Amino acid sequence: MTRQSRTSPAGSERSLHQAYDTALLDLDGVVYAGGEAIAYAAESLAAARDGGMHLAYVTNNALRTPEAVAEHLGELGIPTEAGEVITSAQAVARLISEQVEPGAKVLVIGGEGLRVALRERGLVPVDSADEEGLAAVVQGYGGPDLPWSRFAEASYAIHRGVPWFASNTDLTIPGARGIGPGNGAAVEVVRIATGAEPQVAGKPLPPMHRETVLRTGAERPLVVGDRLDTDIEGAFNGDVDSLLVLTGVTDGAQLLRAEPAHRPTYVDRDLRGLLTGQPEVVAAGEGFRCGGWTAVAAADALELRGEGEPLDGLRALCAAAWTRAGDGSCTLDAGKALARIGL
């Protein structure tokens, strides 16, 4: 099902864990939040796995190794093998390895996840821009205590013409105390200092999707995420289907305003959506109906009529908003309609 033509959430008679062979799951906001498992996540994932679906955990965070991520998931009641975790560090390491000689030295501005991924590809992580024969600079999230001097080290090498790579450019990263600056913010520091542009591997760009498919062997993957601009756009760029769950950063208003690249195939409240089919959204007169709700794009606002399951109301509203917006973003007021369904 192509992203380019999406003007409505799709329906599915089969449960999603039976319709797709592999779930490519984002972590923060989907599986856990603030270090704790999100409600229904562990049991839903266990049921999907028992039903034959392969699970892969896909993260833009390049700091932790796959082993560390798998251990954390295990502690949350989600048994996971390291091979089921795919990180942007792995994606950027492959990208670098395709452009430099085997055994090349790479200046690392980041944490252990990057170093492990580089060694896996036969590259040599180093810490100084003065290393002889330096072939690349790679930048990934290094935690809140990464010294400012590391950004300077990257700048010295880049000014000398060394190719620059970044694991991802997420501007923010959630933590136990709130939202902090992510790797994208650190990349901006080096960009300002050098005027250069890095090659980027992480979501939503194709290298991350390619890495995930290569490592999982997925033939009918379903991307599962909470962010429109990374998870859902990554699925769009990879031309695969996606499920948006409302347990993270995206709310109903943002979803209704989504441009084509940010429109998911399916929408559900949480990971229980993997275990069910998805209701069909159908044209109904001047609007769109899902379940007991009908949504209409009026002159200056989205209107919702009827009653029933709130998520069905949101799905109908998506169809009305996305159809009205076409290739753009819907600007109609949706406040009253969303208030009716508590979203």
Side-chain angles (χ1 to χ4, degrees), residues 129-184:
D130 297 330
E131 284 278 351
E132 184 176 351
L134 189 64
V137 177
V138 64
Q139 190 170 359
Y141 184 67
D145 299 322
L146 189 69
W148 190 262
S149 60
R150 301 306 298 154
F151 305 144
E153 206 68 28
S155 299
Y156 301 149
I158 294 165
H159 272 299
R160 293 202 294 267
V162 178
W164 178 29
F165 298 80
S167 63
N168 67 296
T169 52
D170 296 16
L171 291 174
T172 62
I173 188 167
R177 297 177 59 198
I179 303 297
N183 191 55

Side-chain angles (χ1 to χ4, degrees), residues 6 8 14 19 29 34 53 67 75 78 85 91 127 166 232 238 310 336:
R6 178 146 320 285
S8 168
R14 301 174 65 193
M53 188 179 221
E67 289 76 11
E75 293 169 351
I78 305 169
V85 178
D127 293 315
I232 306 307
K336 290 183 179 179

Side-chain angles (χ1 to χ4, degrees), residues 37-327:
I38 287 174
Y40 309 110
E43 51 265 50
S44 297
L45 292 171
R49 186 193 293 274
D50 290 345
M53 188 179 221
H54 299 295
L55 306 179
Y57 301 93
V58 186
T59 177
N60 260 0
N61 190 330
L63 177 61
R64 295 191 294 172
T65 65
E67 289 76 11
V69 173
E71 181 179 357
H72 180 211
L73 290 171
E75 293 169 351
L76 297 179
I78 305 169
T80 306
E81 300 292 332
E84 296 173 310
V85 178
I86 298 93
T87 73
S88 64
Q90 294 171 322
V92 77
R94 186 185 298 271
L95 189 63
I96 296 168
S97 72
E98 294 170 341
Q99 300 180 41
V100 304
E101 295 296 325
K105 296 177 182 178
V106 180
L107 175 61
V108 175
I109 313 300
E112 185 62 16
L114 274 178
R115 296 175 185 275
V116 169
L118 289 169
R119 294 190 191 104
E120 182 185 36
R121 301 250 68 89
L123 302 173
V124 180
V126 300
D127 293 315
S128 174
D130 297 330
E131 284 278 351
E132 184 176 351
L134 189 64
V137 177
V138 64
Q139 190 170 359
Y141 184 67
D145 299 322
L146 189 69
W148 190 262
S149 60
R150 301 306 298 154
F151 305 144
E153 206 68 28
S155 299
Y156 301 149
I158 294 165
H159 272 299
R160 293 202 294 267
V162 178
W164 178 29
F165 298 80
S167 63
N168 67 296
T169 52
D170 296 16
L171 291 174
T172 62
I173 188 167
R177 297 177 59 198
I179 303 297
N183 191 55
V187 167
E188 284 300 312
V189 171
V190 178
R191 180 185 281 120
I192 291 168
T194 63
E197 290 290 335
Q199 295 185 51
V200 183
K203 296 183 288 186
L205 298 174
M208 187 67 174
H209 181 73
R210 180 181 60 146
E211 186 72 20
T212 302
V213 171
L214 285 172
R215 287 180 179 269
T216 63
E219 296 181 355
R220 301 187 314 279
L222 178 70
V223 170
V224 185
D226 71 308
R227 299 182 73 109
L228 300 179
D229 59 348
T230 54
D231 305 316
I232 306 307
E233 185 176 340
F236 177 92
N237 290 336
D239 199 24
V240 299
D241 288 347
S242 59
L243 167 66
L244 178 80
V245 291
L246 301 178
T247 48
V249 301
T250 300
D251 60 21
Q254 292 169 321
L255 180 60
L256 297 181
R257 293 194 300 268
E259 59 188 57
H262 294 170
R263 296 171 186 168
T265 314
Y266 309 106
V267 181
D268 221 305
R269 194 177 301 277
D270 52 52
L271 286 176
R272 287 176 294 179
L274 285 174
L275 307 177
T276 66
Q278 294 286 310
E280 187 177 7
V281 182
V282 298
E286 296 181 352
F288 296 87
R289 185 177 69 251
C290 184
W293 298 98
T294 299
V296 176
D300 57 359
L302 291 170
E303 298 178 356
L304 190 62
R305 305 160 187 166
E307 60 183 13
E309 163 60 40
L311 258 293
D312 289 344
L314 180 61
R315 295 177 180 114
L317 285 168
C318 284
W322 298 349
T323 299
R324 170 63 70 89
D327 291 336

